[in-house]
Amino acid sequence: MTIRYPGGKKYSPRSDKLNSRLAQKKSLQYANRGMTLEEDLNETNLYYRQIGRAVIHKKPTPVQVVQVDYPKRSAAKITEAYFKQPSTTDFNGVYRGKYIDFEAKETKNKTSFPFGNIHAHQAEHMKNVQEHGGLSFLIIRFSQFEETYLYDASHFLQWYFEQSERKSIPKREIEKAGHFIPTTFRPRLDYLSILDQFYLSM
Amino acid sequence: MTIRYPGGKKYSPRSDKLNSRLAQKKSLQYANRGMTLEEDLNETNLYYRQIGRAVIHKKPTPVQVVQVDYPKRSAAKITEAYFKQPSTTDFNGVYRGKYIDFEAKETKNKTSFPFGNIHAHQAEHMKNVQEHGGLSFLIIRFSQFEETYLYDASHFLQWYFEQSERKSIPKREIEKAGHFIPTTFRPRLDYLSILDQFYLSM
């Protein structure tokens, strides 16, 4: 007999193996205080701004506003709007005089980073940024392992445009050509130190 | 007797002087095809990207999303949201390896540019960008004259922070220390040539 929750979802008892995996995941999440990659990066960037190290912000999510109400004596209220596909990457700013531009993505995939996470015009944007002398990269988190990597756009674009039939980049390639970013207390993800070490002469 | 429009607005016959001014303004507007400064800059930046001269975008307007509906078989619909005050400037990107960051503002004021157009944290942002080696400036349009100027942040910040009791910058100061940007066919407002000439060594 199938037992169902009130919502209609099937009830299936958890196996011991799954339980232990969940416990493991929970402890890993605790290490990261359960924050998403975006939250970690926002906190990191805020810290960088506070100590005067860099000026890097997340861009607002693009929204197509269709209808706005202007009630008397209160703020304009948007009553109809839709999310738009972003035409650029999520984060940009300035560090040591350099233009910094990156996209941050989490994947639950354990063995590879699927291209589906990046739109074609975002890849195009990264290419353009590189051509104009900016520093362009991805920050990729494999959430199942709580591992975060800085992966240079030049590597990414090679896979994306030249080996696009693959539809993904193997995790081991990102481990090899990318740079592991340790999660620390403050800043949460010190990716600028990676740039110092590998991409900017001191 | 006061004549009123159906909406309640007072009717006052136009003087000949006003009529001739309006005619003049109309012909000027025609020269600019009635576009706003933001439209002119978006068109300019699109052109710069198309010819591979620079990668500069307008940031999306920040919106605080409160309520989203997820209708079956159609796109997520935002049903309650509010405009947020931006914490940075409107435009940024990369040109000749340099980080470019600016705010664009139109004013109807004929004699000065009021500080009220710029929030304190936007001014703070411009200061930070300068300190980190980015190029920060304002593009100011005096819409009554259809005159557009590039005005360096260092000038602006001096007035803003050191002479803040004034609450505005005289137009003649912007004419003197700023750089007039002619409105041309393509690009609409070639502000990068101003940067080439005055702020970037060739």
Side-chain angles (χ1 to χ4, degrees):
Chain A
M1 185 195 138
T2 310
I3 304 167
R4 285 182 194 273
Y5 286 106
K9 212 180 136 210
K10 253 194 218 168
Y11 168 76
S12 45
R14 280 172 181 169
S15 71
D16 277 354
K17 200 178 160 195
L18 185 63
N19 266 333
S20 94
R21 245 196 255 149
L22 280 168
Q24 200 192 350
K25 205 180 158 239
K26 232 175 179 164
S27 83
L28 282 166
Q29 273 185 331
Y30 178 73
N32 199 29
R33 286 149 65 201
M35 288 172 92
T36 64
L37 178 58
E38 186 178 313
E39 286 166 337
D40 277 341
L41 287 167
N42 285 338
E43 214 178 278
T44 298
N45 289 333
L46 177 61
Y47 177 73
Y48 284 153
R49 292 197 301 274
Q50 282 169 344
I51 63 166
R53 188 156 173 203
V55 183
I56 297 164
H57 285 266
K58 187 187 176 293
K59 290 188 192 174
T61 306
V63 159
Q64 179 73 51
V65 175
V66 177
Q67 186 105 33
V68 184
D69 270 7
Y70 297 94
K72 276 179 193 169
R73 279 180 295 275
S74 58
K77 180 180 169 183
I78 299 164
T79 55
E80 187 182 353
Y82 300 91
F83 294 106
K84 280 197 294 185
Q85 216 179 61
S87 51
T88 65
T89 45
D90 263 356
F91 295 86
N92 73 358
V94 59
Y95 176 53
R96 295 172 58 189
K98 269 274 184 189
Y99 177 70
I100 303 293
D101 190 295
F102 65 96
E103 183 67 25
K105 286 291 177 200
E106 281 184 271
T107 179
K108 284 178 180 164
N109 198 303
K110 288 179 180 176
T111 54
S112 66
F113 176 73
F115 289 152
N117 281 311
I118 307 282
H119 304 299
H121 39 269
Q122 289 182 313
E124 207 57 58
H125 173 75
M126 289 183 212
K127 195 164 153 272
N128 293 338
V129 166
Q130 282 212 320
E131 283 166 3
H132 286 276
L135 264 176
S136 174
F137 51 90
L138 288 166
I139 292 184
I140 297 170
R141 175 174 289 170
F142 291 93
S143 52
Q144 301 294 313
F145 306 101
E146 291 287 342
E147 288 175 14
T148 311
Y149 295 89
L150 187 151
Y151 190 59
D152 190 64
S154 61
H155 294 298
F156 172 75
L157 294 169
Q158 208 169 342
W159 285 85
Y160 193 88
F161 288 114
E162 289 168 33
Q163 304 197 37
S164 57
E165 76 284 355
R166 290 194 53 101
K167 310 267 182 238
S168 70
I169 304 174
K171 181 170 183 282
R172 61 178 182 281
E173 145 68 18
I174 293 167
E175 288 167 5
K176 215 181 74 192
H179 305 280
F180 180 75
I181 311 173
T183 303
T184 48
F185 175 61
R186 183 171 281 182
R188 301 286 300 154
L189 291 168
D190 189 13
Y191 63 92
L192 290 183
S193 294
I194 308 271
L195 297 185
D196 285 338
Q197 208 180 331
F198 298 101
Y199 298 98
L200 295 163
S201 50
M202 291 301 277
Chain B
M1 188 194 133
T2 310
I3 303 168
R4 287 180 192 275
Y5 285 108
K9 212 179 136 209
K10 253 192 216 170
Y11 167 75
S12 45
R14 283 172 180 170
S15 71
D16 277 353
K17 199 177 160 195
L18 185 65
N19 267 334
S20 97
R21 246 196 252 149
L22 279 168
Q24 199 190 350
K25 205 181 158 238
K26 231 173 177 164
S27 84
L28 282 165
Q29 273 184 332
Y30 177 75
N32 198 29
R33 285 149 64 201
M35 288 173 94
T36 65
L37 178 58
E38 185 177 314
E39 287 166 338
D40 277 341
L41 288 168
N42 285 338
E43 212 177 281
T44 299
N45 289 333
L46 177 63
Y47 178 74
Y48 284 153
R49 292 196 301 273
Q50 282 169 343
I51 64 167
R53 186 155 174 206
V55 183
I56 297 164
H57 285 268
K58 188 186 174 292
K59 290 189 191 175
T61 306
V63 159
Q64 179 72 51
V65 175
V66 176
Q67 186 105 33
V68 184
D69 270 7
Y70 296 95
K72 277 178 192 167
R73 280 180 294 276
S74 59
K77 180 180 169 184
I78 300 164
T79 56
E80 186 182 354
Y82 300 91
F83 294 105
K84 281 198 293 185
Q85 214 180 62
S87 50
T88 64
T89 44
D90 263 357
F91 295 85
N92 73 359
V94 59
Y95 175 54
R96 293 173 58 190
K98 270 274 186 187
Y99 177 69
I100 303 292
D101 189 296
F102 64 97
E103 183 67 26
K105 288 289 178 200
E106 280 184 273
T107 180
K108 284 178 180 165
N109 197 303
K110 288 180 180 174
T111 54
S112 65
F113 176 72
F115 288 152
N117 281 313
I118 307 283
H119 303 297
H121 39 268
Q122 289 183 313
E124 207 58 58
H125 172 75
M126 289 184 210
K127 197 164 152 270
N128 293 337
V129 165
Q130 281 210 321
E131 284 166 3
H132 286 277
L135 265 178
S136 174
F137 51 90
L138 289 165
I139 292 183
I140 297 170
R141 175 173 290 170
F142 291 94
S143 51
Q144 301 294 314
F145 305 101
E146 291 287 340
E147 289 175 13
T148 311
Y149 295 89
L150 188 151
Y151 190 57
D152 190 63
S154 59
H155 294 297
F156 171 75
L157 293 169
Q158 209 169 339
W159 285 84
Y160 192 86
F161 287 115
E162 291 168 33
Q163 304 197 38
S164 56
E165 75 283 357
R166 291 193 54 103
K167 311 268 182 238
S168 70
I169 304 173
K171 181 170 184 279
R172 61 177 183 280
E173 144 68 19
I174 293 167
E175 287 167 4
K176 215 180 74 191
H179 306 278
F180 181 76
I181 311 173
T183 303
T184 47
F185 175 60
R186 184 170 279 183
R188 299 287 299 152
L189 290 168
D190 189 12
Y191 62 92
L192 290 182
S193 293
I194 307 272
L195 296 185
D196 284 339
Q197 208 180 332
F198 297 101
Y199 298 99
L200 296 163
S201 50
M202 289 303 278

